[in-house]
């Protein structure tokens, strides 16, 4: 196992000459059990999600592993129905699992990017890498076969403890956590309201590319991706979507509020601006359920 760890560490040695704009490929996946007490009046039922940090040679992406597995199942169902449908009609009831937000870190370029899906579009929000004043201690611990070191900081209104692995020398971590001399494999705030709990680490395995389904295979059909799914055949490719719509935090929040207030009008306005191949526009109805109570956001006011 130690030899395997050395091999994994060699795979993620930084390549500082690479550009953040060039696609990277994940060499290692760090899995987390993410927990967030969103509602302090209901601490017994925190929000939970399986997340994964895809670590490349000089970049990373952090996203919902639950969502990735659900996307793979959805694509398989789509392919099967498109292959077997005689009239071109596809009927799939889909309930999105997990968050669609994805965080990209480019330490060598001091660049941080957030990808936000919103119905049929994907929005891209650029920013600088969050600066964190870490205090590294001599305390050590093992997580699986990873030998880690402890660090603490105050970030986004919370006091965090993090454990990073110097044998994986990429300065990235889950969510917005970054800046330590090794991948952050576990982190939590002082109250354990926000916890990125280490689950496991594994070597990334490439996914064999599949032929892309084209709308021309079914004349009159309009291909629409619901839920901001990307078109990468290999989920291990770390690259900001080229077709994403650049926006700002403020503008994106306006769009999300508009969608929640009148989802049907919002999606119809989006579909009206989409090109098609002469076929009818799809009839898409969106239901927005009750919104969760969030009185304890992950980012608190203050420094």
């Amino acid at each position: 196992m130690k030899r395997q760890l050395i091999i994994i560490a060699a795979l993620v040695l930084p390549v500082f000459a690479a550009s953040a704009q060039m696609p990277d490929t994940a060499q290692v996946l760090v899995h987390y059990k993410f927990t967030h007490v969103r509602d302090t009046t209901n601490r017994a039922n925190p929000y939970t999600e399986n997340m994964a940090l895809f670590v490349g040679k000089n970049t990373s992406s952090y996203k919902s592993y639950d969502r990735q597995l659900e996307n793979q199942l959805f694509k398989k169902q789509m392919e099967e129905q498109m292959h077997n449908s005689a009239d071109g009609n596809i009927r799939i009831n889909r309930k999105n699992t997990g968050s669609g937000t994805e965080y990209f870190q480019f330490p060598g370029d001091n660049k941080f990017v957030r990808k936000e899906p919103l119905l049929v579009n994907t929005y891209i929000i650029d920013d600088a890498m969050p600066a964190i004043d870490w205090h590294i201690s001599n305390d050590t611990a093992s997580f699986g076969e990873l030998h880690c070191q402890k660090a603490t900081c105050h970030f986004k209104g919370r006091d965090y403890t993090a454990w990073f692995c110097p044998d994986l020398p990429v300065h990235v971590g889950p969510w917005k956590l970054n800046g330590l001399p090794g991948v952050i494999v576990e982190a939590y705030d002082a109250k354990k309201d926000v916890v990125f709990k280490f689950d496991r680490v594994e070597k990334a395995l490439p996914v064999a590319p599949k032929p892309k389904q084209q709308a021309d295979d079914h004349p009159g059909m309009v291909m629409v991706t619901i839920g901001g799914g990307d078109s990468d055949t290999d989920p291990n490719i770390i690259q900001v979507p080229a077709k994403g719509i650049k926006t700002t935090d403020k503008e994106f929040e306006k769009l999300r509020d508009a969608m929640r207030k009148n989802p049907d009008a919002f999606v119809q306005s989006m579909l009206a601006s989409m090109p098609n191949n002469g076929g009818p526009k799809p009839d898409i109805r969106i239901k927005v359920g009750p919104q969760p109570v969030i009185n304890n956001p992950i980012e608190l006011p203050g420094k």
Side-chain angles (χ1 to χ4, degrees):
M1 181 61 73
K2 187 173 182 180
R3 181 175 180 274
Q4 181 182 1
L5 177 58
I6 293 173
I7 293 173
I8 291 176
L11 288 171
V12 297
L13 285 174
V15 181
F16 296 106
S19 167
Q21 303 304 314
M22 296 296 291
D24 198 354
T25 302
Q27 310 295 317
V28 175
L29 270 65
V30 181
H31 294 265
Y32 307 84
K33 297 289 187 181
F34 173 64
T35 304
H36 177 198
V37 179
R38 291 176 168 180
D39 181 5
T40 55
T41 67
N42 187 20
R43 288 186 171 275
N45 295 289
Y47 176 81
T48 61
E49 189 169 0
N50 293 304
M51 306 295 292
L53 182 68
F54 291 68
V55 183
K57 291 184 177 180
N58 48 69
T59 64
S60 72
S61 70
Y62 175 73
K63 55 189 173 183
S64 170
Y65 198 66
D66 290 335
R67 184 69 164 244
Q68 177 175 312
L69 295 178
E70 196 266 346
N71 281 343
Q72 291 172 354
L73 177 61
F74 175 71
K75 288 178 181 179
K76 181 180 179 181
Q77 292 174 335
M78 285 283 290
E79 290 169 359
E80 290 174 350
Q81 288 214 21
M82 292 182 72
H83 178 73
N84 298 323
S85 175
D87 58 5
N89 291 324
I90 297 176
R91 301 172 182 87
I92 297 177
N93 292 321
R94 183 183 189 188
K95 182 179 180 181
N96 283 332
T97 302
S99 168
T101 304
E102 185 170 354
Y103 300 90
F104 297 87
Q105 295 185 9
F106 304 91
D109 294 272
N110 192 35
K111 184 177 180 181
F112 179 84
V113 180
R114 193 171 95 239
K115 183 187 86 171
E116 291 280 8
L118 193 60
L119 298 181
V120 297
N121 288 331
T122 295
Y123 295 88
I124 305 298
I125 302 166
D126 291 337
D127 205 346
M129 287 281 285
I132 305 177
D133 184 18
W134 290 103
H135 301 277
I136 299 176
S137 77
N138 293 322
D139 295 343
T140 61
S142 293
F143 294 81
E145 296 297 323
L146 301 180
H147 184 68
C148 298
Q149 193 168 349
K150 181 181 178 181
T152 57
C153 73
H154 183 80
F155 181 62
K156 301 296 183 181
R158 299 181 187 274
D159 293 317
Y160 280 98
T161 295
W163 296 90
F164 66 96
C165 180
D167 292 323
L168 301 177
V170 188
H171 302 185
V172 298
W175 180 50
K176 298 182 179 182
L177 299 176
N178 74 94
L180 286 168
V183 175
I184 298 171
V185 302
E186 181 160 304
Y188 44 85
D189 77 319
K191 294 183 178 180
K192 299 291 181 73
D193 283 351
V194 179
V195 179
F196 306 89
K197 184 175 179 58
F198 174 78
D199 184 27
R200 67 188 188 278
V201 62
E202 61 181 337
K203 181 180 176 181
L205 298 176
V207 177
K210 295 181 180 180
K212 192 173 181 181
Q213 182 69 54
Q214 300 294 332
D216 292 342
D217 295 341
H218 298 269
M221 180 181 293
V222 179
M223 300 295 290
V224 179
T225 301
I226 304 298
D230 51 49
S231 59
D232 291 337
T233 56
D234 188 344
N236 297 322
I237 299 298
I238 303 173
Q239 184 177 30
V240 178
K243 295 183 180 179
I245 301 171
K246 291 289 186 74
T247 189
T248 63
D249 267 315
K250 186 176 181 180
E251 291 302 318
F252 179 75
E253 288 303 320
K254 287 182 180 179
L255 288 170
R256 186 151 54 187
D257 287 344
M259 187 273 291
R260 288 171 177 168
K261 289 177 181 177
N262 193 337
D264 284 335
F266 183 79
V267 75
Q268 294 307 318
S269 67
M270 284 189 169
L271 291 173
S273 64
M274 291 177 59
N276 62 35
N277 60 353
K281 293 283 187 179
D283 182 21
I284 300 176
R285 302 295 175 183
I286 303 294
K287 291 184 179 180
V288 178
Q291 297 301 299
V293 175
I294 301 179
N295 57 34
N296 184 30
I298 191 169
E299 298 186 26
L300 296 176
K303 296 182 180 180

